[in-house]
Amino acid sequence: MSLKAGKEALLRKHYTEAIAILTEYSQSSKNTSSKEYIQAQIWLVSAYKKTGRADKAIAICDQLTTSDDPQIQTWAHKSLITLKATLEAPADDRIRRNEDVASVIKSDPRRYRKNNVTLALPSRYSYFLIASMIVTILSIIGLQFLASYGISLIFTDYFSDAWIKITAIAAGIFSILLFFMSPWIIDITQRQYHRIQWITLADLDLKSPESVEVIENFCDKYNIFVPRLGWIEDEAPVAFTYGVISNSARIVVSRGLFNCLDDDEIAAVYAYQLGRIRNKSFAVLTFVSAPVQVLYYIYVLLSRQSYRAKSAKQIWQVFATLAKAIYGLSNYLLIWLSHASTIVSDRFAAAATGNPNALARVLPKMARQMLPYNQPAMPINRLLESTRALGICDRQTMTAIGMAMEIAHVGQTDQDPYRVFLWELFNPWRRWLEIHSTHPLVGKRLKFLAGYSKQLGLLTEYDFAELLKEERKLNKKRLYQNFWRDLLIQVSPAIGVAIAIIASHLLSELYNRWLLTSLLLIGLGLGFMLQGSLRYPDFRRVADTDLVSLLIDPYASYVQGSPVQIPGEFLGYGTDEFYIGYSLRLEDQGGLAFLNYIPNFRQWIIDPSNTIRNLEMLCDRSVIATGWFRRGKFPIIDLSTLQPIAEDRPKQRASLTSYHQFWNNIGSSLLVLIGLSTLMLTSRIF
C-alpha cells in the first residue's frame, strides 16, 4: 500500500480505509525517522480522531513527542491536549444516537466506562455448546448416511460389509463437501432472493462508527481478517453470520436493523455475530443451515408455482405444504446448538462492548420492528424466516414482546407493559415454547444480560432487577396446577397414539396388518376430541379485559383458553392457504389484538361470500369480541362471537359466530369413524 493511496482515502473521508492503508504502510516502513513515515503517522492521528478512537491517536502522539524534529514535537503535544479532552468527555456524549428513531427506551444509555471487560458465565454453558456442536455434526452425518443407505436400496437388497463401508464413505465425503460448500450455497440463495450487497468498513463507518471499532478490535485481538460485510435492502430487522473459517466469515445486516437501533445497539449486534465466530458455532450452524435454506426456497418455488399454475393448483399446494413441513422439522437439528451459541455469544457481546444494556435494548426493539411481519395469516417475510437459526433471534417467538413494546411506545395505558417478560421468566409453558424456538426466549436472555449489568455495577433496562423480584409474589401452586392440566390437554393425541400401539400388540392375533393403522386413527381421533373438549371452557366466568392485561398475565396458558371479553375497533382480516379460518385484527385502547375466526361448513366451504360480506361490514366499527385467550407463538383469542357495540348502521347489521369446538369434533369424529371402519373391514373375526 502506498502513502498516496492513504492520503486519497483520507481526503475522501473514508477514514477506516485510510487507517488500514496507513497502518500497513507504517508497518512495512524500515526507516521510522523518514518524512514519509512521520507523515503517515500524522495522517493516522487525523483518521483515528475522525472515527472517535482518541485512545489510538494518543498512543501515536506519545511516540511523536520523542521525535528529533521540534515542530513535530510541538504538534504532538498540542494534539495530545485536544485528544485527552475528547477521551475524558462523559461517555454518554461520545455515543452517537440515532435521533430519527422513536425509541421505546426513555433512559440514557447505561454502559461501562471501557470495553473488553471480563464477565462471569457458568462453565456448563460452554460445555453444553461444545457438546451440542458435536451432537449436531453427528446428527447431520447420520442423516446423510441414512439417505445414502436409502439410495443404495435401489441397487441392491442385500447389504454386505463392503456395501456398508461404501455407504459410510459416501456419506463422509458428501458431508465434507457440504461443509466447505455451505457458505457458497447460502451466498447463492441470499443473492438470488434478497439481492445482497457487499460493503466495506468505510461504508459501515458512515452508518455506525462504533461497530467498526468493535470489528477492528476483534480482528486485532484474535489476528483474523475483517469479515466480509453484507447489506440487504429490507425493512425487516435482520443480522446473521455464516461461513466455515474465521478468516472468510460473512456478517450480513438489513436496512431495517439500522432503522430501529442506535449506534451503540448496532455495535452490540455486530459483537454478537463476532461472538459466534469466536466460539466457532457459526461454522456448524452454516453447515446445517445451508441444506435447510435450500428446503425453504424449494417451498418458495413450489408455492409460487401453485399461484401461477392454470391447472392442478392443489397438487402444487400439496407439494409446497410438504416442503414447508420438512423445512420446519429440519430446523430442530439446529435448536440446541443455536440455544447454546446464543447464550455464549450474548456474554461475548456484552463483554466486548462493555455495554450489556445495549443488547438488552436491541431484542425488544427488533421485536417491535418485526411486528408487521409477525402476524397470523399475513405474508411471511422470507428473509426473517430463512435466517431463523443464523440470526440474532427467532421471529416466531417475538410477537408478544413486539406487541408490548408497541404499547409502551404509544403510551396509551397506565399499566406496565414491560411485565410481559414475566411470562417468559416464570410460566412453566415457556420451556415448551422454547424447545420449538431456534433461540432462547427474550426474557431469559434479558435475565442473563441484567446479570452482566449487575457485575459491572450498572442499572438494568426495563427495571429488570425489579421484575425478577416478582417471582416471590407469584402463586407457584396456581402456575403448576394449570401447567399439569394443560400438559394433559397438549399431549392427549400422543397418549392416544401410545395406547393404540400397545393395543395393536395385544390384539395382533385377531387382525391383519391394518390393525396398527386403524388403532392409530382411533387413538388420534379420541385424543383430539379430548383436547377440544378441554381447550374451550364455558363462559360462566368470562372476564372483561384489555390487551395489556392479557399480555402481562404470567398465568396465561399456552393450551387452554381463558374466557375473555374485549371491546375495540375491528380493523380487518386476512387468510392464506396454510391458515385455518380467518385472522381478525382488533385494536383496543392498548394496541392490536389477533382473533382466530372459523365459520361453519356452509359459510367457509360452500359459500364463503356471506362471511366476506359480514367481515367487510364490520370493518372500522366498534365491536365486542368474546372468546378464549391463549399465549402461544402468537398471543391470540380463539373467537366465539363478534358483535357491533352499537347498531349505528341499521342496513348493515352483521355479527360473527365462530365454530372452533364444532370443527374439532367433526375432525376427531371422522378420524375415529375411519379407524373403526378400517378395523371392521379388515377383521379376521368376520
Side-chain angles (χ1 to χ4, degrees), residues 67-89:
S67 172
D68 297 333
D69 189 333
Q71 291 182 340
I72 298 297
Q73 289 183 16
T74 303
W75 178 88
H77 284 297
K78 288 182 180 180
S79 298
L80 279 172
I81 295 172
T82 305
L83 291 167
K84 287 179 179 179
T86 303
L87 191 63
E88 292 170 1

Side-chain angles (χ1 to χ4, degrees), residues 236-418:
V238 171
F240 60 97
T241 184
Y242 64 98
V244 294
I245 300 172
S246 299
N247 280 333
S248 61
R250 291 88 152 161
I251 299 178
V252 182
V253 296
S254 68
R255 176 178 293 280
L257 186 79
F258 280 70
N259 287 345
C260 69
L261 300 182
D262 296 322
D263 186 35
D264 59 328
E265 295 158 356
I266 295 169
V269 171
Y270 273 98
Y272 172 89
Q273 307 302 334
L274 294 171
R276 283 197 159 180
I277 295 173
R278 176 59 184 162
N279 62 42
K280 307 301 181 185
S281 61
F282 83 110
V284 183
L285 286 168
T286 303
F287 173 46
V288 185
S289 291
V292 171
Q293 281 206 6
V294 170
L295 283 171
Y296 179 73
Y297 287 112
I298 288 174
Y299 151 70
V300 171
L301 290 172
L302 292 173
S303 182
R304 285 179 178 175
Q305 186 61 35
S306 70
Y307 284 111
R308 294 172 182 169
K310 295 182 179 179
S311 60
K313 285 181 176 290
Q314 289 76 13
I315 296 176
W316 287 110
Q317 287 179 356
V318 167
F319 282 119
T321 304
L322 180 62
K324 187 177 183 181
I326 296 172
Y327 161 74
L329 290 173
S330 61
N331 273 308
Y332 285 92
L333 291 170
L334 297 156
I335 282 177
W336 298 115
L337 173 58
S338 183
H339 279 221
S341 172
T342 297
I343 296 298
V344 177
S345 299
D346 280 352
R347 191 271 304 269
F348 182 91
T353 60
N355 195 0
N357 282 322
L359 191 57
R361 294 192 297 271
V362 163
L363 298 171
K365 282 187 172 185
M366 289 182 67
R368 178 173 170 246
Q369 184 78 356
M370 288 179 188
L371 193 56
Y373 314 103
N374 267 354
Q375 300 180 15
M378 295 296 286
I380 296 173
N381 183 279
R382 290 170 182 163
L383 179 59
L384 280 172
E385 180 62 26
S386 64
T387 58
R388 281 178 59 198
L390 291 174
I392 193 171
C393 57
D394 184 3
R395 68 148 195 106
Q396 292 193 2
T397 57
M398 301 291 278
T399 304
I401 306 299
M403 293 167 70
M405 292 304 106
E406 182 64 25
I407 292 167
H409 171 68
V410 175
Q412 293 183 354
T413 178
D414 55 357
Q415 300 189 73
D416 181 8
Y418 298 138

Side-chain angles (χ1 to χ4, degrees), residues 78-135:
K78 288 182 180 180
S79 298
L80 279 172
I81 295 172
T82 305
L83 291 167
K84 287 179 179 179
T86 303
L87 191 63
E88 292 170 1
D92 292 351
D93 295 341
R94 291 188 287 114
I95 295 175
R96 179 169 164 179
R97 305 292 290 172
N98 185 350
E99 299 298 338
D100 296 331
V101 177
S103 175
V104 171
I105 309 302
K106 302 296 189 295
S107 61
D108 292 329
R110 305 167 182 182
R111 64 185 304 170
Y112 198 58
R113 61 182 178 272
K114 63 178 183 178
N115 53 17
N116 292 318
V117 297
T118 301
L119 296 172
L121 179 70
S123 57
R124 65 178 180 273
Y125 291 101
S126 298
Y127 296 144
F128 180 53
L129 174 60
I130 296 170
S132 59
M133 289 172 68
I134 295 171
V135 170

Side-chain angles (χ1 to χ4, degrees), residues 10 44 48 155 172 368 397 401 403 534 547 554 601:
L10 193 62
L44 267 175
Y48 279 130
F155 303 101
R368 178 173 170 246
T397 57
I401 306 299
M403 293 167 70
L534 296 177
L547 177 63
F601 182 81

Side-chain angles (χ1 to χ4, degrees), residues 179-222:
F179 180 80
F180 288 104
M181 290 177 63
S182 53
W184 176 70
I185 294 171
I186 296 177
D187 280 342
I188 291 176
T189 57
Q190 294 302 319
R191 186 168 59 248
Q192 176 69 25
Y193 289 96
H194 306 300
R195 301 292 187 264
I196 189 171
Q197 306 169 41
W198 299 107
I199 62 175
T200 64
L201 274 178
D203 298 323
L204 179 60
D205 187 56
L206 298 174
K207 305 175 187 295
S208 175
E210 189 172 339
S211 298
V212 174
E213 182 178 359
V214 167
I215 294 171
E216 289 185 334
N217 287 343
F218 175 83
C219 295
D220 288 343
K221 183 175 180 179
Y222 297 106

Side-chain angles (χ1 to χ4, degrees), residues 466-588:
E466 295 300 318
L467 281 178
L468 293 174
K469 295 178 183 177
E470 291 284 330
E471 183 179 12
R472 293 194 294 264
K473 301 177 184 179
L474 294 178
N475 186 336
K476 294 292 182 67
K477 185 177 180 181
R478 180 183 170 190
L479 275 173
Y480 283 89
Q481 274 183 340
N482 293 346
F483 172 70
W484 295 116
R485 177 202 66 192
D486 294 351
L487 184 62
L488 174 64
I489 299 173
Q490 183 71 8
V491 301
S492 52
I495 293 173
V497 169
I499 293 173
I501 294 172
I502 295 171
S504 68
H505 283 289
L506 296 176
L507 302 174
S508 58
E509 295 182 359
L510 299 178
Y511 298 91
N512 63 14
R513 60 185 179 179
W514 291 96
L515 174 65
L516 178 60
T517 302
S518 304
L519 292 181
L520 284 176
L521 290 172
I522 295 171
L524 269 177
L526 293 175
F528 284 126
M529 196 175 292
L530 175 64
Q531 192 178 70
S533 64
L534 296 177
R535 175 168 284 179
Y536 307 110
D538 59 43
F539 282 91
R540 283 178 294 183
R541 291 181 296 175
V542 64
D544 291 327
T545 186
D546 56 50
L547 177 63
V548 182
S549 300
L550 295 175
L551 287 176
I552 66 176
D553 180 12
Y555 303 102
S557 172
Y558 181 89
V559 177
Q560 185 175 43
S562 174
V564 296
Q565 187 169 275
I566 178 171
E569 183 179 355
F570 181 51
L571 299 182
Y573 61 94
T575 188
D576 64 29
E577 69 269 26
F578 300 108
Y579 190 82
I580 299 175
Y582 297 86
S583 173
L584 314 183
R585 294 184 291 281
L586 182 77
E587 185 176 39
D588 79 340

